[in-house]
Amino acid sequence: GAVVSQHPSRVICKSGTSVKIECRSLDFQATTMFWYRQFPKQSLMLMATSNEGSKATYEQGVEKDKFLINHASLTLSTLTVTSAHPEDSSFYICSARDYRGRETQYFGPGTRLLVL
Amino acid sequence: GQQLNQSPQSMFIQEGEDVSMNCTSSSIFNTWLWYKQDPGEGPVLLIALYKAGELTSNGRLTAQFGITRKDSFLNISASIPSDVGIYFCAGHWRDDKIIFGKGTRLHILP
């Protein structure tokens, strides 16, 4: 099956620092990757759609300068939370869409970010 | 915009019971997906449905894509403790994005 990895799985950082989260599709190529944020006991909230070789598309209300997304290859997308603050603490999950066209997204295991 | 109504919000059942949950929408979808999420983990795809009327099984799980393309259900037969978790339905229409339901939290009583 399709496997997506995320790194790191957990990160604790001081307020004001930047944190980079990596999302990789391990056994398939993903032209499109997605970044979600999930608060406790809530559903997944789409933050942005990341397309290989082009700029990410951000959802309404998500600051593109705050959440920098880079999709440099067909197997890697990165999310950088810049100048993180405690309110950025959350569970960040990426997903990847198999390029062969089925509308199915495979999710990574998530990254727990805690900003002190 | 499109929304998914997932029900029930939570379920408390005895081990061995069958479970049924569903999602409905006022809009049609081309694809319905069912995911399970364990605490602290990402969602795992259980079943993907691509055609109206399609009925698909994955072990003890069965899901159907409603004929109107506006609904889907997921059944779990003979529940076991490891079925505990949150189940999300998700639908896809045109663009790359999929829309998630709010989830059904399954609890199994000892």
Side-chain angles (χ1 to χ4, degrees):
Chain A
V3 180
V4 176
S5 71
Q6 259 182 265
H7 178 79
S9 57
R10 294 172 187 267
V11 58
I12 301 173
C13 68
K14 291 183 180 178
S15 189
T17 60
S18 293
V19 174
K20 182 189 277 190
I21 303 170
E22 291 186 349
C23 178
R24 293 181 187 272
S25 57
L26 298 184
D27 53 357
F28 66 103
Q29 293 180 319
T31 52
T32 307
M33 290 185 171
F34 304 85
W35 287 96
Y36 294 84
R37 186 172 178 176
Q38 187 178 33
F39 291 106
K41 298 192 177 180
Q42 293 195 18
S43 189
L44 288 81
M45 183 191 82
L46 180 65
M47 298 174 66
T49 302
S50 168
N51 294 298
E52 186 263 339
S54 64
K55 289 184 180 179
T57 305
Y58 290 82
E59 294 301 298
Q60 196 171 10
V62 178
E63 299 174 57
K64 62 180 181 183
D65 295 327
K66 171 83 174 166
F67 299 99
L68 300 178
I69 291 172
N70 183 274
H71 193 153
S73 77
L74 284 172
T75 59
L76 173 64
S77 176
T78 60
L79 168 69
T80 302
V81 183
T82 62
S83 187
H85 290 282
E87 58 265 28
D88 298 323
S89 300
S90 191
F91 192 50
Y92 292 87
I93 312 173
C94 72
S95 71
R97 178 173 168 243
D98 191 322
Y99 85 102
R100 284 163 293 189
R102 287 286 210 179
E103 301 309 335
T104 303
Q105 290 184 24
Y106 298 94
F107 284 85
T111 297
R112 173 84 52 198
L113 171 63
L114 177 61
V115 185
L116 302 175
Chain B
Q2 292 177 304
Q3 286 189 330
L4 291 182
N5 300 307
Q6 187 171 351
S7 66
Q9 240 181 346
S10 63
M11 303 180 73
F12 291 82
I13 61 166
Q14 300 281 350
E15 184 179 347
E17 284 186 25
D18 296 342
V19 172
S20 186
M21 59 191 81
N22 69 83
C23 268
T24 59
S25 173
S26 57
S27 309
I28 61 174
F29 287 98
N30 289 332
T31 303
W32 281 94
L33 306 166
W34 284 93
Y35 292 91
K36 178 176 184 264
Q37 186 177 28
D38 291 327
E41 302 285 335
V44 173
L45 181 66
L46 299 174
I47 293 179
L49 302 160
Y50 301 106
K51 218 162 63 165
E54 181 180 352
L55 180 72
T56 297
S57 293
N58 177 7
R60 292 178 296 106
L61 278 61
T62 303
Q64 183 157 32
F65 191 149
I67 199 76
T68 64
R69 295 165 66 191
K70 294 182 179 181
D71 63 303
S72 177
F73 71 74
L74 173 71
N75 288 341
I76 306 173
S77 63
S79 59
I80 59 177
S82 61
D83 292 333
V84 166
I86 306 174
Y87 293 80
F88 290 102
C89 64
H92 173 266
W93 170 224
R94 274 193 182 144
D95 57 20
D96 283 330
K97 295 184 284 191
I98 61 176
I99 298 167
F100 282 87
K102 292 190 185 303
T104 295
R105 194 175 290 267
L106 181 63
H107 305 267
I108 296 184
L109 302 170

